[in-house]
Amino acid sequence: MANVQLFDSHMYTEVIRQYEEVAELINLDPNIRERLKHPQRALIVTFPFRRDEYEEVETVVGYRVQHVLSMGPTKGGIRYAPDVNLGEVTALSILMSWKSAIVGLPFGGAKGGVAIDPTSLTRGEKQRVTRRYTAELLPVIGVEKDIPAPDLGTDEQTMAWIMDTYSNFVGSPQPGIVTGKPAALGGSVTRREATGRGAIAVTAQAMDKIHKTYKGSNVVIQGFGNVGRYAALDSYERGAKVIAINDLGGGIINPEGINIPELFKHTAKYHSVAGFEGADVLSENILEVECDVLIPAAVGGVITTSNVNKIRAHVIVEAANSPTTVSADKILKDNNVLVIPDILANAGGVTASYFEWVQNRQNYLWKEKDLYEKLIDTMTSAFEEVWTISQKNKCDLRTAALIKGIKRVAAAKLTRGLFP
Ligand code: NAD
């Protein structure tokens, strides 16, 4: 039996715990059950990069983990954060497998990361880290093999550098090597906004199911990065009231609703929501603000047994990956809080990535309007299926989503058979 301690981390333990519970529930084939706990490939690299101070060279650790290679290329983001480790990246790659399967994409899950604080990097340093990291990943990534995308601490510019580095090695332009790149390189506006907007599309649908309306709801959002800001904008456009938002720079609150387009202008200038004139300073913990819908859209592990009973929201939308611990999730269920799980709520990102990748491979560009419609259609269809599974099995949405995702991945593995 493979040594799972290799991937030991809090997040890996949590992801496997969720998986085991559902595997038991669906009576998953025992061989497949064991296989899916381990990633098929995990590459660890160490590499040096030069700080702007020419003499200063720092060595860092990077990872790329591919969970399942049975259903097509692997797909998943790259994060730059100080605490990135093999266990976390592995856990996130497993979640990516379920996520792609839930929305029906022909991908296995992958994830990558570099253990570095992105805020400590100048633009030049970030570029050098990215180019060298890409060079180290060359044996395992490829348009038909494994396609990275942005995640925490990385963005469109980072993807452009990866695409440029990879294309230089291959000797021809390879836009399909990454998704979430700038529009000028074959990226799409829809991809940029997809995770946040996709999350709100399924939130509005969930509100309908419980006979409430999203329009007029009070919404609280943790994080105003790529995901949080478009979740906020979509909510604002739908007539919901975003009453509190925070980021690493601070928090703001306005019970009348924050003007999100104005907040976009403020953050473009000051790089934080803090100091926004159209709201007061938030003095309480953002997760504890009373609201209809709470959207954690920043980092993992923020809703735990120590704060879960202080949450005063009716619906939680996990726009971030793994914001809720398994134990806290059970308490939320007892407290009758409806949780839209990460593997469904933030699947808009990988869905729009899939469309971007297809366009790049075909060298054919759809209109943004068509892309957006496809995105919303995929997300709402997936939600409907997951909702039906949850009603049929009398289970929560996370269990229902995992049932759908795990069954699909297992079916692909079983049908392909075992080599040799
Ligand atoms: P990002 O780096 O663009 O933004 C992160 C935001 O969270 C920033 O505003 C930052 O200041 C804030 N933040 C960080 N730590 C915080 C804390 N402790 N409290 C409050 N705010 C904090 O990242 P992103 O791309 O928006 O990703 C956010 C989450 O969504 C991550 O969990 C990521 O894995 C997940 N996700 C992202 C995508 C995507 O398309 N970018 C897709 C799926 C899932």
Side-chain angles (χ1 to χ4, degrees), residues 212-262:
K212 295 189 173 177
T213 50
Y214 195 54
K215 187 174 177 178
S217 298
N218 287 338
V219 180
V220 168
I221 303 180
Q222 181 186 46
F224 201 66
N226 183 261
V227 178
R229 62 178 49 229
Y230 290 107
L233 185 63
D234 204 286
S235 302
Y236 176 86
E237 288 169 357
R238 287 174 189 258
K241 275 199 285 182
V242 183
I243 57 168
I245 306 180
N246 80 339
D247 62 20
L248 280 174
I252 55 173
I253 186 160
N254 180 349
E256 301 306 315
I258 296 164
N259 184 320
I260 305 300
E262 286 302 316

Side-chain angles (χ1 to χ4, degrees), residues 110-411:
K111 203 78 180 187
V114 179
I116 195 160
D117 177 3
T119 61
S120 77
L121 298 169
T122 64
R123 185 183 158 90
E125 289 168 350
K126 194 168 183 182
Q127 178 167 177
R128 291 193 287 281
V129 167
T130 303
R131 289 188 181 280
R132 182 61 191 259
Y133 172 61
T134 308
E136 299 294 338
L137 296 191
L138 283 175
V140 297
I141 57 171
V143 180
E144 306 282 341
K145 273 161 84 177
D146 181 17
I147 310 124
D151 193 71
L152 270 179
T154 58
D155 55 15
E156 290 186 4
Q157 180 58 70
T158 324
M159 296 306 114
W161 290 327
I162 294 178
M163 182 243 169
D164 184 64
T165 308
Y166 184 80
S167 300
N168 272 293
F169 274 100
V170 173
S172 59
Q174 299 287 329
I177 184 60
V178 282
T179 56
K181 41 188 184 294
L185 294 176
S188 75
V189 178
T190 303
R191 171 62 187 89
R192 182 188 306 155
E193 305 184 1
T195 311
R197 288 197 185 272
I200 301 306
V202 294
T203 305
Q205 211 178 347
M207 295 293 274
D208 285 349
K209 296 282 185 201
I210 58 172
H211 311 296
K212 295 189 173 177
T213 50
Y214 195 54
K215 187 174 177 178
S217 298
N218 287 338
V219 180
V220 168
I221 303 180
Q222 181 186 46
F224 201 66
N226 183 261
V227 178
R229 62 178 49 229
Y230 290 107
L233 185 63
D234 204 286
S235 302
Y236 176 86
E237 288 169 357
R238 287 174 189 258
K241 275 199 285 182
V242 183
I243 57 168
I245 306 180
N246 80 339
D247 62 20
L248 280 174
I252 55 173
I253 186 160
N254 180 349
E256 301 306 315
I258 296 164
N259 184 320
I260 305 300
E262 286 302 316
L263 186 60
F264 265 61
K265 290 184 201 157
H266 173 88
T267 52
K269 207 165 161 191
Y270 299 105
H271 308 291
S272 169
V273 298
F276 180 59
E277 280 184 359
D280 296 325
V281 174
L282 176 70
S283 49
E284 59 187 307
N285 186 319
I286 188 129
L287 301 172
E288 296 166 18
V289 176
E290 188 171 3
C291 60
D292 299 305
V293 179
L294 171 63
I295 309 182
V299 287
V302 290
I303 301 176
T304 66
T305 46
S306 51
N307 63 5
V308 64
N309 281 319
K310 295 185 192 147
I311 286 177
R312 293 179 291 161
H314 304 294
V315 177
I316 293 181
V317 183
E318 294 185 336
N321 281 316
S322 296
T324 315
T325 63
V326 175
S327 310
D329 194 38
K330 293 195 191 315
I331 299 174
L332 287 173
K333 209 183 306 172
D334 293 343
N335 291 353
N336 281 324
V337 178
L338 178 69
V339 177
I340 308 181
D342 50 4
I343 43 176
L344 175 62
N346 68 32
V350 70
T351 304
S353 278
Y354 167 65
F355 297 138
E356 184 180 327
W357 176 72
V358 171
Q359 288 190 88
N360 293 153
R361 290 179 76 221
Q362 295 179 335
N363 276 328
Y364 178 82
L365 286 184
W366 291 311
K367 290 193 173 120
E368 289 292 342
K369 183 176 135 297
D370 296 340
L371 275 178
Y372 179 73
E373 273 172 22
K374 280 178 197 293
L375 167 74
I376 300 304
D377 180 55
T378 307
M379 289 298 290
T380 50
S381 305
F383 179 87
E384 202 57 51
E385 277 183 64
V386 169
W387 183 267
T388 306
I389 296 171
S390 82
Q391 297 291 301
K392 202 170 139 204
N393 293 275
K394 297 193 174 29
C395 64
D396 58 293
L397 290 179
R398 189 184 318 277
T399 306
L402 283 169
I403 290 176
K404 181 166 191 269
I406 294 170
K407 273 190 173 174
R408 181 160 188 262
V409 176

